[in-house]
Amino acid sequence: MMTVQRANADLFEALYQNFPDGIAVLDLASRFLSANPAYLAMTGFSSTALLQTSCLDLTAPEDKKRAEAALALVRREGYVRDFEKTCIVEDGQRIQVSMSLTLMPDRQQILVVTKNVTEKTRFHPATQRQVTHDVLTGLPNRVLLHDRLTRAIVRAQRQQGLLAVCAIDLDKFKPINQRWGSYVGDRILLEIARRLQIVTRDDDTVARLGGDEFVLLLGNLSGQDALFTALDSLLQILSQPFHTEDKIIELSASIGCALYPVHDDDTDLLLRHADQAMYQAKQQGRNQYKMFDVSHDAALQHTHQLVKQVGQALHAGELVLFYQPKVNMRTGEVFGLEALLRWQHPSKGMIPPLDFLPQIEQTDLIVDIGEWVIEQALQQIAVWQAAGKDWSVSVNIAARHFQRADFLLRLQTMLASCPKSVHERLEIELLESVALGDIEQVNQQIRAIQVLGVSFSLDDFGTGYSSLSYLKHLPTETIKIDRTFVRDILEDKNDLALIEAIIGMGRAFNRKLVAEGVETVAHGVLLIRLGCELAQGYGISKPMPATQVLDWAVHYQVDPLWQKWADVRWEISDFPLVLAQYDYIEWVNRLLVFVDARQIPEDHAEIDNEYRCRFGQWYGAQRNVLYRQLPEFAAIGEVHHQVHDCAKQLVDAVTQQDERVIRAQRKRLLTLKSRLLVLLEALQFSLRSACSQCDRLSAQTS
Ligand code: C2E
Ligand code: MG
Ligand code: MG
């Protein structure tokens, strides 16, 4: 055993001394521990001089970053092969070297074998290499990729094979780079380059276009199945986490694929289409691959056109803002307006925002539009203030715009030209989706902007996936309840329950609540009773041009019904009464469906016994003393009794096919239903008035 080890040591020593290429041993900080004679001869340094330097000291400045990354990779992965760099030797000369680095088994030292390749690269000078290769990874760059792609197409033609052009983009690389610095970022890119080289065959090409964009050319594929298998393993290897000395960074990539000859036969188109498919993979949730889709391309062409037209419209002054008032339904006060974009098209007329904004929101044009909207709103606030109206104006800001690093700075510049009283009336409406990126970053951005006096609301609340989490993390002063919930509260018990829950949450988090889409007086009444008194909607006013707003405000009068409810404090404990009312409407409607189809309802018992239907159960179980004292409560019982009497007669008439009685009783049932609803509302009203009186009395006596 001893002799074998000794023989190995002798062999190594002999190799070390006589090897034609340079061999050096470095410590983990890249300082020289020893170097063989060939290394000393190559660099011109004496052994003593060399031992005082590090391998990086000998590296040309332009290659230093790459060399650091390569050394880090060796420390982690154990080896790096054929790393080329420019080395500055003792007399200041520059030589080209190719290095292979290996981590020694003790993991404390690095063995570097260095070959002088200056002669070889003389015909391929470094400058030439930089034209065709990426400096960081040494992979072919865009220039060489075109050349390779052209050749790959020729080869595929010859072999009648399939060629896949895959555009690869790392997911969330930017935040990684921002968080851990470009040093770690570079190491990750080198690692990705290494992984891509591992999975590809000799004939394939891996290129880096810049940033975290790579392209893979997979040639000679037997069919799409072979491609899918390759793409699956590619995704798998790219999503392995990246380990540094002290952290683990999760990685994944999105891949887009275009095929020759299936999709295109032109190099530029193949690359562009692979890129589009990759973008789609990102949009659909990242960490996946997508094949290029022709119909998607047509949609994209349309988007390009639209973006161009809207850009021109912005400059031609065809975009306008309409303003929709927001009022307090209790007091009738107009407290603000929402600015809503319209496109006044010269030939097509007024185009609503949702017909063009969704496509624009994917482009930077939304930033120009958003800034224009803010500027307009600021001017409008000042105009209204000059007219004695201190209204707040809210603007809708797209996620892409709000998340820009320079948003705050640009907003500050815009605010600088107007007084503080104007800043304080600007409100930014953010969609829940804004927070999809980095919720903590959005939170900080909101806070920084609030310092300037600007306030926020969370728009379309309840429609996103993470409403609760946004509510918790985003410090917006206001929540706007989405109009899809408000719309159906009069008919849909579930939506009513949802609104009630949202209002409860809003209160718990101490936020102002604005209901969107209040279309009728009845919507408003119910909302007031549930505790949401701020509203916006067609029932108050449709959006209108700025010039009409002052006049509208002069004539605006809050609906008498809202005034009627204004002083009545509705409690959540009264909520079952509201639900009982819904049950009632539902029960009657269901019965009429059967009657109109001349059928008998299955559940007779509910009709025969007036305490078995849901409303009857509620009525019978009502132990609330306050309710029982009110005259309306007894009257409700009487009408409910008549309703059941009427229902029984209807069922009998259907059985006997007596059309005359059916008609008469049907009419009676509807009248009774209306009467009962009026009584129910009166009961609720008296009840709350009584409570308010009690509250007042007890306040006076205490
Ligand atoms: P939003 O911010 O939720 O604005 C409310 C939308 O509901 C407006 O539609 C408004 O006209 C409509 N609305 C208000 N009350 C009622 C009602 O009672 N019933 C019905 N059915 N609809 C009502 P609009 O103006 O078409 O805007 C649609 C969306 O477009 C906005 O929804 C907002 O997300 C976006 N948007 C509008 N202007 C801008 C803008 O300047 N920038 C950005 N990024 N987005 C905007
Ligand atoms: Mg809005
Ligand atoms: Mg909204």
Side-chain angles (χ1 to χ4, degrees):
M1 190 77 180
M2 277 304 285
T3 42
V4 174
Q5 270 185 2
R6 156 139 273 133
N8 277 345
D10 289 347
L11 182 63
F12 179 77
E13 183 59 25
L15 266 174
Y16 184 75
Q17 292 299 337
N18 301 306
F19 204 64
D21 295 333
I23 301 178
V25 179
L26 310 178
D27 66 11
L28 291 183
S30 324
R31 283 181 298 253
F32 285 97
L33 296 174
S34 69
N36 73 344
Y39 195 92
L40 298 176
M42 188 186 346
T43 58
F45 285 101
S46 70
S47 176
T48 343
L50 201 64
L51 292 186
Q52 286 159 13
T53 58
S54 105
C55 169
L56 291 169
D57 296 334
L58 270 59
T59 305
E62 69 272 17
D63 284 344
K64 254 196 185 129
K65 239 168 117 184
R66 281 196 313 121
E68 280 174 4
L71 284 161
L73 200 58
V74 178
R75 286 195 292 269
R76 190 169 63 77
E77 288 297 322
Y79 66 93
V80 166
R81 298 277 169 270
D82 303 328
F83 176 76
E84 288 196 12
K85 68 165 190 179
T86 304
C87 188
I88 310 234
V89 293
E90 203 266 340
D91 59 0
Q93 293 266 0
R94 296 162 76 95
I95 60 167
Q96 282 301 117
V97 295
S98 169
M99 301 157 71
S100 289
L101 303 102
T102 310
L103 189 67
M104 301 282 256
D106 64 359
R107 301 193 74 84
Q108 297 303 314
Q109 298 177 348
I110 299 167
L111 183 75
V112 188
V113 178
T114 308
K115 204 192 247 312
N116 186 341
V117 292
T118 315
E119 279 305 312
K120 237 168 70 186
T121 52
R122 182 144 296 164
F123 308 102
H124 239 301
T127 46
Q128 167 71 28
R129 194 175 160 78
Q130 275 172 17
V131 173
T132 52
H133 286 79
D134 167 49
V135 179
L136 176 69
T137 58
L139 291 176
N141 65 10
R142 202 180 283 273
V143 176
L144 190 52
L145 173 68
H146 268 278
D147 184 45
R148 295 271 177 95
L149 182 51
T150 313
R151 287 187 212 194
I153 290 178
V154 173
R155 206 176 316 132
Q157 272 167 348
R158 205 174 48 232
Q159 297 167 340
Q160 305 258 307
L162 200 59
L163 166 72
V165 178
C166 311
I168 303 171
D169 194 287
L170 290 186
D171 297 330
K172 301 189 175 171
F173 180 68
K174 221 161 136 195
I176 294 177
N177 225 0
Q178 278 167 354
R179 178 154 184 212
W180 305 111
S182 60
Y183 174 64
V184 170
D186 284 352
R187 283 173 57 190
I188 290 178
L189 293 173
L190 273 168
E191 167 66 10
I192 293 298
R194 197 183 69 87
R195 291 185 194 176
L196 289 173
Q197 282 169 307
I198 291 175
V199 288
T200 46
R201 299 159 303 179
D202 285 349
D203 279 355
D204 298 334
T205 293
V206 184
R208 178 176 176 231
L209 302 190
D212 56 340
E213 289 173 65
F214 294 83
V215 168
L216 205 62
L217 305 181
L218 301 174
N220 203 12
L221 292 162
S222 55
Q224 295 215 3
D225 283 347
L227 171 64
F228 295 153
T229 312
L231 290 172
D232 279 331
S233 49
L234 203 57
L235 279 179
Q236 208 250 331
I237 192 162
L238 293 178
S239 62
Q240 307 276 324
F242 179 78
H243 296 256
T244 69
E245 292 74 17
D246 53 355
K247 50 191 162 287
I248 298 174
I249 299 172
E250 297 294 334
L251 295 180
S252 67
S254 301
I255 306 175
C257 237
L259 291 175
Y260 171 89
V262 182
H263 294 133
D264 307 286
D265 53 8
D266 171 276
T267 52
D268 282 338
L269 270 183
L270 277 164
L271 285 168
R272 190 149 65 81
H273 288 159
D275 212 46
Q276 278 173 20
M278 182 275 292
Y279 188 65
Q280 245 196 316
K282 289 237 180 243
Q283 281 190 319
Q284 294 185 7
R286 304 188 176 101
N287 193 18
Q288 55 185 288
Y289 63 81
K290 275 264 159 299
M291 301 303 293
F292 167 67
D293 171 357
V294 184
S295 61
H296 185 250
D297 187 51
L300 220 67
Q301 293 297 340
H302 176 252
T303 303
H304 281 315
Q305 279 279 316
L306 186 72
V307 172
K308 213 166 114 197
Q309 289 164 357
V310 175
Q312 286 163 352
L314 175 67
H315 292 114
E318 288 168 18
L319 297 186
V320 289
L321 286 180
F322 271 34
Y323 292 87
Q324 188 179 32
K326 294 183 238 176
V327 304
N328 182 322
M329 295 183 285
R330 249 179 224 286
T331 63
E333 178 209 6
V334 179
F335 65 93
L337 300 105
E338 175 171 10
L340 294 159
L341 194 65
R342 305 279 179 268
W343 178 3
Q344 178 70 70
H345 195 281
S347 57
K348 294 185 191 151
M350 197 68 89
I351 305 181
L354 292 181
D355 284 6
F356 62 95
L357 277 187
Q359 287 98 317
I360 306 297
E361 275 175 1
Q362 311 297 332
T363 72
D364 281 340
L365 180 58
I366 197 66
V367 178
D368 296 341
I369 292 180
E371 292 194 347
W372 177 82
V373 169
I374 295 174
E375 272 167 358
Q376 292 289 306
L378 289 171
Q379 284 173 22
Q380 194 56 57
I381 294 171
V383 168
W384 281 328
Q385 283 184 349
K389 299 291 184 194
D390 196 17
W391 289 325
S392 74
V393 170
S394 56
V395 292
N396 295 281
I397 296 298
R400 189 187 180 96
H401 185 188
F402 189 72
Q403 284 169 348
R404 275 175 70 108
D406 62 352
F407 183 85
L408 174 65
L409 201 71
R410 307 224 13 135
L411 180 66
Q412 275 171 319
T413 316
M414 286 185 267
L415 292 175
S417 56
C418 40
K420 181 111 178 131
S421 61
V422 170
H423 307 177
E424 286 168 352
R425 289 291 166 262
L426 181 69
E427 183 179 292
I428 293 178
E429 294 198 5
L430 296 176
L431 286 187
E432 285 190 0
S433 56
V434 158
L436 275 181
D438 182 341
I439 200 160
E440 189 43 43
Q441 209 177 332
V442 175
N443 172 305
Q444 283 169 13
Q445 173 103 305
I446 290 179
R447 286 183 192 283
I449 293 169
Q450 281 169 331
V451 173
L452 307 174
V454 178
S455 54
F456 282 86
S457 50
L458 202 50
D459 205 355
D460 298 353
F461 186 76
T463 50
Y465 293 111
S466 323
S467 305
L468 247 182
S469 150
Y470 294 154
L471 187 58
K472 189 171 146 208
H473 289 105
L474 302 184
T476 67
E477 290 85 349
T478 304
I479 299 170
K480 294 186 81 178
I481 309 175
D482 190 63
R483 83 179 131 89
T484 50
F485 301 125
V486 175
R487 188 184 54 207
D488 296 333
I489 48 172
L490 295 175
E491 289 89 36
D492 188 334
K493 238 172 18 184
N494 293 328
D495 276 347
L496 181 71
L498 253 170
I499 291 266
E500 193 246 351
I502 293 178
I503 292 173
M505 275 195 299
R507 281 192 188 152
F509 284 90
N510 204 15
R511 308 295 170 87
K512 223 159 67 181
L513 284 155
V514 176
E516 292 181 331
V518 174
E519 292 196 351
T520 66
V521 174
H523 282 95
V525 167
L526 193 49
L527 284 160
I528 294 178
R529 280 164 41 185
L530 292 173
C532 176
E533 57 197 46
L534 306 182
Q536 170 183 356
Y538 293 174
I540 297 158
S541 165
K542 287 198 166 179
M544 61 191 129
T547 47
Q548 293 175 11
V549 174
L550 281 172
D551 198 39
W552 172 86
V554 170
H555 295 102
Y556 175 68
Q557 275 188 336
V558 70
D559 195 278
L561 256 182
W562 291 351
Q563 268 176 333
K564 181 179 155 200
W565 286 97
D567 287 331
V568 181
R569 283 277 156 210
W570 187 251
E571 294 297 327
I572 288 297
S573 58
D574 295 326
F575 190 61
L577 179 52
V578 181
L579 285 184
Q581 189 172 330
Y582 281 79
D583 280 338
Y584 190 75
I585 297 170
E586 220 174 275
W587 189 83
V588 171
N589 287 347
R590 222 177 34 235
L591 177 64
L592 287 179
V593 169
F594 276 103
V595 170
D596 291 344
R598 302 297 184 262
Q599 288 174 357
I600 310 291
E602 302 108 17
D603 196 354
H604 244 274
E606 271 207 7
I607 294 176
D608 296 341
N609 181 346
E610 64 194 64
Y611 295 108
R612 277 196 70 161
C613 69
R614 287 257 308 254
F615 181 80
Q617 287 176 24
W618 170 82
Y619 189 82
Q622 206 39 252
R623 301 277 171 264
N624 188 327
V625 189
L626 248 176
Y627 281 39
R628 291 192 167 278
Q629 278 174 357
L630 295 167
E632 290 88 351
F633 191 78
I636 285 171
E638 178 51 34
V639 178
H640 180 60
H641 176 75
Q642 288 180 35
V643 166
H644 277 264
D645 173 60
C646 178
K648 270 184 254 174
Q649 296 206 32
L650 258 176
V651 172
D652 288 348
V654 170
T655 317
Q656 289 157 20
Q657 298 179 348
D658 187 339
E659 288 299 322
R660 196 184 53 82
V661 178
I662 293 176
R663 268 199 306 279
Q665 291 302 329
R666 195 182 188 287
K667 205 166 149 202
R668 182 177 163 226
L669 183 65
L670 289 175
T671 314
L672 286 169
K673 172 181 136 182
S674 305
R675 198 180 307 158
L676 198 127
L677 290 180
V678 170
L679 279 170
L680 268 172
E681 193 169 301
L683 170 74
Q684 293 162 49
F685 193 73
S686 307
L687 177 71
R688 282 296 127 217
S689 303
C691 287
S692 305
Q693 255 174 18
C694 289
D695 289 350
R696 269 199 295 278
L697 277 177
S698 64
Q700 279 165 13
T701 48
S702 62

